Amino acid sequence: MTKAADFFARSAPIRYAGPDAVEPLAFRCYDKDRVVLGKRMEEHLRFAVCYWHSLGWPGGDPFGGETFFRPWMHGDDAMALARAKADVAFELFRLLDVPFFCFHDRDVAPEGDTLAQSTANLHAIAELFAAKMEQAKVRLLWGTANLFSHPRYMAGAATNPDPDVFAYACAQVKAVLEVTHGLGGQNYVLWGGREGYETLLNTDIGRELDQLGRFLTLVVEHKHRIGFSGTILIEPKPREPTKHQYDFDVAAVHGFLRRYGLEREVKVNIEANHATLAGHSFEHEIALAAALGILGSLDINRGDPQSGWDTDQFPNSVPEVALALYHVLRAGGLGSGGLNFDAKIRRQSIDPEDLLHAHVGAMDVCARALLAAAAMVEDGRLAGEVAARYAGWESREGRAMLGGERSLAEIAARVERDAIEPRPRSGRQEYLENLVNRYV
Ligand code: XLS
Ligand code: NI
Ligand code: NI
């Protein structure tokens, strides 16, 4: 296999060159040290490269196989290939100058014949990562366990009818959580792709939810036992691969967390394309999570408006990302979270350089969106309009009703006594849409 340094056919990291840059591979807006609302762009955006799509995906689709033929995907020695892949991964991080990356256990190290062997493989690669991270100053945004690819998980991991599969998933998550902790990971993600069902004819929903609740509780307990201070995140998605998934959307996850007493322990990792699959906008999911106190991190990508599945494309719409980031800023930022590019290049994008164009373009889109969102926050008119719309609730009676100091009968008596007749007011949607368009 060729040396990692040769894969991308360039060695200079991609630099900020301003809006008039002529070279195709340059940042035109993302200037990591530029201060926006008191913080550097890099600290606001906390970009992460995702290992599975950028290094692990061979370019297949349901109608045809591999198109990329990456050198680290072919050979007999699986561990040697994993090391070669890691070399290219860190070369990609260096060229993009990103602060973070994310991985599943099985993206970075091959599965062995036994769980012990798989875990040993993972530890060997983690050691390599630790050395590379030290040198490159790249950090781990989150780690996660792949509990969906292997046939043992075809009927779910925690929600499997077979308790041995539940146990196996526990063992796998324990290993990845500990590796994530060892690498200084800032979060740990659980995406339940197969935690759902294909047909109700063979499924006991109540029992499966209890299994999932128990599983999550065990993970949270272990996090505290090992002293992992990162955030545990659930990533909602309504369907795909299963027909129905229990972590459908932010609202469903919040209800689930409340039911199992985990709402102070677990937050959400919201993915744009999962929000749209659930029939929501990305900003809806972000604003709701913020309102419920469980906003954790973002998987930043986009779907295709004409395809009803998870196409996982790189984000390219400034207005859409600006509204998402506006709600992130309003919520006070993402804390330990960040923007993970859970996005893949298209099947025909077979040149290594396509990976660079994808990330550079998306980082610039996010940077432009950040500037627009920051301007919206600074201007304050949008928030002012919302505050004015609810101002009546600041009145004495408004507060008393909301504070539980009035019974239904008392409220009714006041309406009759004062002959209250509410006056309809405009929602001013078009004015607000025009206001937003001034910034994007
Ligand atoms: C798949 C999910 C997955 C998670 C991590 O749709 O987005 O990639 O982010 O398991
Ligand atoms: Ni996805
Ligand atoms: Ni994701």
Side-chain angles (χ1 to χ4, degrees):
M1 113 141 239
T2 46
K3 289 223 319 289
D6 301 333
F7 182 71
F8 291 106
R10 74 174 279 150
S11 71
I14 294 154
R15 292 282 172 223
Y16 172 72
D20 304 322
V22 278
E23 68 263 42
L25 275 176
F27 293 114
R28 289 173 166 70
C29 183
Y30 179 63
D31 177 6
K32 67 175 185 175
D33 293 322
R34 174 164 173 190
V35 174
V36 179
L37 297 179
K39 268 202 305 194
R40 294 164 54 246
M41 269 193 172
E42 186 178 55
E43 294 165 332
H44 274 288
L45 297 167
R46 295 166 61 84
F47 289 127
V49 166
C50 98
Y51 219 94
W52 52 103
H53 286 321
S54 289
L55 285 308
W57 185 55
D61 73 9
F63 297 89
E66 173 165 32
T67 55
F68 295 163
F69 299 99
R70 304 298 194 208
W72 59 90
M73 291 183 189
H74 300 279
D76 298 328
D77 181 346
M79 282 303 282
L81 294 175
R83 286 195 193 90
K85 189 188 204 178
D87 289 345
V88 176
F90 278 77
E91 179 65 3
L92 177 62
F93 309 157
R94 187 183 73 80
L95 292 176
L96 294 171
D97 195 14
V98 282
F100 292 104
F101 70 111
C102 298
F103 65 81
H104 300 83
D105 47 357
R106 303 299 178 246
D107 308 330
V108 301
E111 177 138 8
D113 292 334
T114 60
L115 183 78
Q117 185 56 55
S118 303
T119 304
N121 290 348
L122 178 62
H123 280 140
I125 297 295
E127 243 174 67
L128 179 67
F129 279 3
K132 286 177 176 291
M133 287 164 73
E134 179 58 40
Q135 219 205 345
K137 301 280 172 258
V138 179
R139 291 172 289 159
L140 179 60
L141 186 65
W142 47 265
T144 186
N146 179 329
L147 304 178
F148 44 88
S149 293
H150 193 281
R152 77 173 69 85
Y153 292 126
M154 70 180 182
T159 62
N160 201 289
D162 179 353
D164 281 351
V165 178
F166 179 99
Y168 202 102
C170 287
Q172 201 179 321
V173 168
K174 174 180 178 288
V176 190
L177 183 59
E178 288 170 4
V179 163
T180 300
H181 179 41
L183 290 173
Q186 313 244 320
N187 309 272
Y188 184 84
V189 165
L190 291 140
W191 169 60
R194 304 221 182 250
E195 312 292 23
Y197 64 79
E198 289 297 336
T199 172
L200 262 187
L201 295 175
N202 65 13
T203 303
D204 181 340
I205 289 191
R207 175 188 284 276
E208 292 202 356
L209 285 172
D210 283 347
Q211 289 176 210
L212 195 53
R214 181 96 294 269
F215 182 75
L216 201 53
T217 305
L218 290 169
V219 174
V220 167
E221 282 170 5
H222 195 68
K223 161 198 156 152
H224 291 301
R225 193 161 299 140
I226 63 175
F228 176 60
S229 59
T231 312
I232 304 280
L233 302 170
I234 289 191
E235 183 175 321
K237 184 175 181 180
R239 70 188 74 85
E240 202 199 338
T242 51
K243 172 187 155 63
H244 174 88
Q245 283 161 209
Y246 299 128
D247 303 336
F248 195 96
D249 59 3
V250 168
V253 168
H254 184 253
F256 174 86
L257 293 177
R258 287 287 296 255
R259 167 141 198 229
Y260 296 99
L262 294 165
E263 70 272 20
R264 287 185 208 294
E265 293 283 357
V266 179
K267 293 184 171 170
V268 283
N269 179 43
I270 301 171
E271 179 165 319
N273 204 168
H274 298 181
T276 51
L277 267 182
H280 305 303
S281 64
F282 193 20
E283 66 267 23
H284 163 90
E285 289 289 81
I286 294 169
L288 181 60
L292 296 170
I294 56 169
L295 177 60
S297 196
L298 303 182
D299 270 7
I300 187 115
N301 63 9
R302 77 177 202 272
D304 180 303
Q306 282 81 44
S307 317
W309 67 92
D310 196 16
T311 61
D312 282 339
Q313 289 165 253
F314 279 83
N316 73 349
S317 159
V318 175
E320 279 175 26
V321 178
L323 285 177
L325 294 183
Y326 174 73
H327 287 283
V328 168
L329 291 177
R330 293 277 300 159
L334 292 169
S336 66
L339 267 54
N340 169 43
F341 288 116
D342 193 349
K344 55 182 189 255
I345 48 178
R346 298 300 89 188
R347 189 168 184 257
Q348 298 174 53
S349 303
I350 58 176
D351 295 344
E353 198 181 65
D354 293 320
L355 272 173
L356 300 177
H357 283 294
H359 284 92
V360 168
M363 288 161 79
D364 263 345
V365 164
C366 292
R368 285 171 60 193
L370 175 69
L371 293 178
M376 280 158 32
V377 168
E378 274 183 324
D379 171 296
R381 258 177 294 179
L382 209 49
E385 287 282 335
V386 176
R389 194 154 178 256
Y390 295 90
W393 283 99
E394 299 304 324
S395 68
R396 207 176 69 90
E397 278 306 316
R399 284 169 188 269
M401 285 195 294
L402 203 60
E405 292 159 33
R406 298 284 184 272
S407 68
L408 197 69
E410 286 166 345
I411 294 172
R414 183 172 64 88
V415 173
E416 285 190 14
R417 188 190 66 223
D418 297 353
I420 290 178
E421 187 52 54
R423 260 186 306 125
R425 272 190 316 181
S426 171
R428 289 165 58 82
Q429 182 169 335
E430 294 74 14
Y431 163 75
L432 295 169
E433 286 170 348
N434 296 350
L435 189 58
V436 167
N437 274 336
R438 289 190 221 170
Y439 297 106
V440 299

